[in-house]
Amino acid sequence: MVALWVHAARVAALSLYSATPRPRILLIDCHDSYTQNVARWVASASRRVHGSPRDSLRDHWPTVIGHDDEALTATLRSEVSSEFLGEWDGLVLSPGPGHPGSALDFAETAAGLALRNAPHSLPVLGVCLGHQGLAWSEGACVAPLGVPRHGVVDGVFFDPEARLFRGLPQGFGATRYHSLTVLDDRRLWASPLRVVARSKAGDVLALEHVGLPRFGVQFHPESVATRHGDLIATNFLRYCCARSVGMPVVLTAAAAAAAAAPKPRTSWRVVATQVAAWAPDVDGRELAATAYRDIFYNQSRRSVWLDGDGSTAAPVSVVGGTGPHGFAVTHKRGLSTFERPDGQRKVVEGRLLDALRRELEARRPANGPLPLPFDFQLGFVGYLGYELRRETRDYTPGSGDDDDDSTPDSTPDSALAFVDRAVVFHHRLRRAWALELVADGEVPSFEPRISGGGTLWKPPEKTSAVEFECAIDRTEYGRRARLALDRIAAGDTYEVCLTTSFQATVGGAPLEWYERLRRANRAPHAAFLDLADVSVASSSPERFLRVSGRDVEAKPIKGTAPRSADPDRDEMEASILERSVKTRAENLMIADLLTNDLLRVCDDARVHKLAAVESFATVHQLVTTVRGRLRQGADALDAIDATFPPGSMTGAPKRRTCEIIHDLEARVPRGCYSGALGFLSLTGDADLAVVIRTAVFTHASDHHDSWTVRVGAGGALTALSDIPSEWAELKLKANAVLAAFGSTLKPDSFARDDPLFDDDDDDEDLDDDDDDDDGQPSSLLSATTSRASSSSSSSSSSSSAPRWLHSR
Ligand SMILES: C=C(O[C@@H]1C=C(C(=O)O)C=C[C@H]1O)C(=O)O
Ligand SMILES: NC(=O)CC[C@H](N)C(=O)O
């Protein structure tokens, strides 16, 4: 087994496509959200220095293996450990959450083992946690930095003799993501490491081994905001190449064979007919709204309306439903239920993404993607709820965070409709097409009549305000936020998206509420889904992921400011947002994270626009654009697997931060909120929005004419966060939706020195000034404790009974 691994690693290192000698680098991933960026950083330096212009980046990609990989750990624990490591030309240890002395974070993982067993001649580079690990393994001390530095760019001042920084300008800017630091004390001085770079404030930013080719950098050389980082990789690879014997590399046939696997043949066709064209003075969005009501709503078992606003981000509206070949899919905890129009059901066990891929493959139209000016050519429309994270790549099975405290209702984790009939409205071209899926020999029969003018439905203007209740009050929010900041200070996470939800019972059809929402909060990725037991009304401004052909784009948002009716003030809000150090830091972390996630499935991925202001109906946002090209053999479902849940809803590093959030949010499932909503087209394309600014309707107990409506809201906490402002921001986001229900959360009136938000951990005084206090114990600590001791959940559920905050 061990020997096998040595062999497998060699093959992995050899399965490159050219005969150019290039360093073989092993990159051990400590499950950071930036490891893929480190891999790209190494690969591009390798290609530049040791490659030929024809090489692709992937030809130079290091071998990336998780620090908890069983085979690797077993090999590194065995007697062939050094021999195995000797096969490589360089070892890179990635950044990651936690402390290098902790067994599971680093010390007893493949990263720590590799460091212990590395032959002296093997060049080693530790990045951030890897750097701290290098120091720690030499007896130095790693302790809190005092003030964590996350997502900020600082000057690096280095010793001119430092081998790693040859050719770099003194004081070059580098991104920092850390809470811990190597202490510059006797223990470090007694070690063979010397400090070769510092920040202006004197923090240790880089180390070099005096005798061996071993280096550590505390900052992130691979970050989009680090200038000249490429030279650092080049300098490191020099050491690796000195070792490399330039062995000619053999082409392996495995990849080619996999790509040539036969595609299933189908007998399906998509029939497209142009059904409408309209004059410039007609509002295409309203035509689509009418078509949705007239053709699909209440007429097919499931119906959907992707209410694109005609902007470049969302040029089309799609209305559709489940016709004769349509069906519904709901998914909960590893089980997918398929329901055909005739009511027949089948239940399939396994990952939802795999099930969806199978269904799409089985219906791939023989007449291929049609030459139409849009990507949705029938397929799945619906939502992938946040809980789907347990079936995607950034989840550690057995991590113990699959113990949801309560399922609020019968809402499926994910729900989609397979839409076999739709009308697509192209707002710029002012034309609409009807699409229908037909089987071989079947005669097309879908002939929708698109009527405009006169018949538009308008919701009644006045509605009495709905009273929403928040699942937690501000005291509890303050407590959770402080715990999040503690975890940041401990180095376990760099950014935490902390959320909660607002709930109400309403009468009237969800569609009518949606009609109000789309007027109150116009948004590019707005949508309405009628999926029988659950309806979703969304006014999301955020694109999660678009796959069009092989092009992939993500547009994460981080940074929110209110809009103002006064144009001067409005402009000022936008410009303050754009320049805020705190929000730029928040945004940078997620920009780097999305790049990392896309690199898992793309040949390359890059930030195209970093933190640009975009103004929506109720808020200004900082939006980043990350783009890549899908790797051969990867599809949209792989892209979802690599990026879900949306990083802007988790924080970084994603894997560990999701576990932390699960605790902080008292194990209450987020459901549809925080997931993704949109389509997976039969063409293989996809476009999904992040589920925010969204109301989710489920039937209120047995009353079929009343609905429980839930609205999630939250925001990112970083080391720079000020808790009262975060709470205000959360309410601002909630208001974007609550306004459609005639309801507005008022700003809290409390002094800046409100004891609720004090850093002092003295819980005793916390409730004293709380005007919402109903005398119940606050929930989070008990919930966390009960989880740690894995005792009964009843104690935590009773103590986490919400203390309501009223909305009017
Ligand atoms: C969490 C929400 O929004 C997310 C958080 C943002 C932020 O922290 O600034 C901005 C957009 C979203 O990615 C929400 O709207 O509820
Ligand atoms: N980016 C990192 O690798 C962070 C390392 C460590 N967890 C810290 O916070 O200091």
Side-chain angles (χ1 to χ4, degrees), residues 71 83 196 217 226 236 256 345 390 477 524 539 615 783 802:
E83 184 199 335
V196 292
V217 288
T226 298
F236 174 65
R345 285 168 178 246
R390 301 203 179 93
Y477 179 79
S539 61
S615 303

Side-chain angles (χ1 to χ4, degrees), residues 245 412 557:
V245 286
I557 297 183

Side-chain angles (χ1 to χ4, degrees), residues 32 95-98 127-129 132 150 177-180 218 220 491 494:
D32 200 56
V127 180
C128 215
L129 183 68
Q132 296 167 0
H150 289 288
Y177 292 125
H178 66 119
S179 305
L180 311 178
Q218 178 62 80
H220 283 240
Y494 327 143

Side-chain angles (χ1 to χ4, degrees), residues 542 557-560 648-649 673 692-693 713-716 729 733:
E542 183 169 354
I557 297 183
K558 270 290 140 245
T560 305
S648 52
M649 300 308 293
Y673 172 68
I692 49 173
R693 325 290 150 84
E729 184 179 316
K733 290 171 181 155

Side-chain angles (χ1 to χ4, degrees), residues 6 33 55 234 356 429 437 461 474 481 517 565 662 667 761:
V6 173
S33 277
D55 291 357
T234 309
L356 296 178
L429 301 177
L437 186 68
E461 275 310 316
R474 63 176 190 172
L517 177 62
H662 185 65
R667 306 192 304 263
D761 253 340

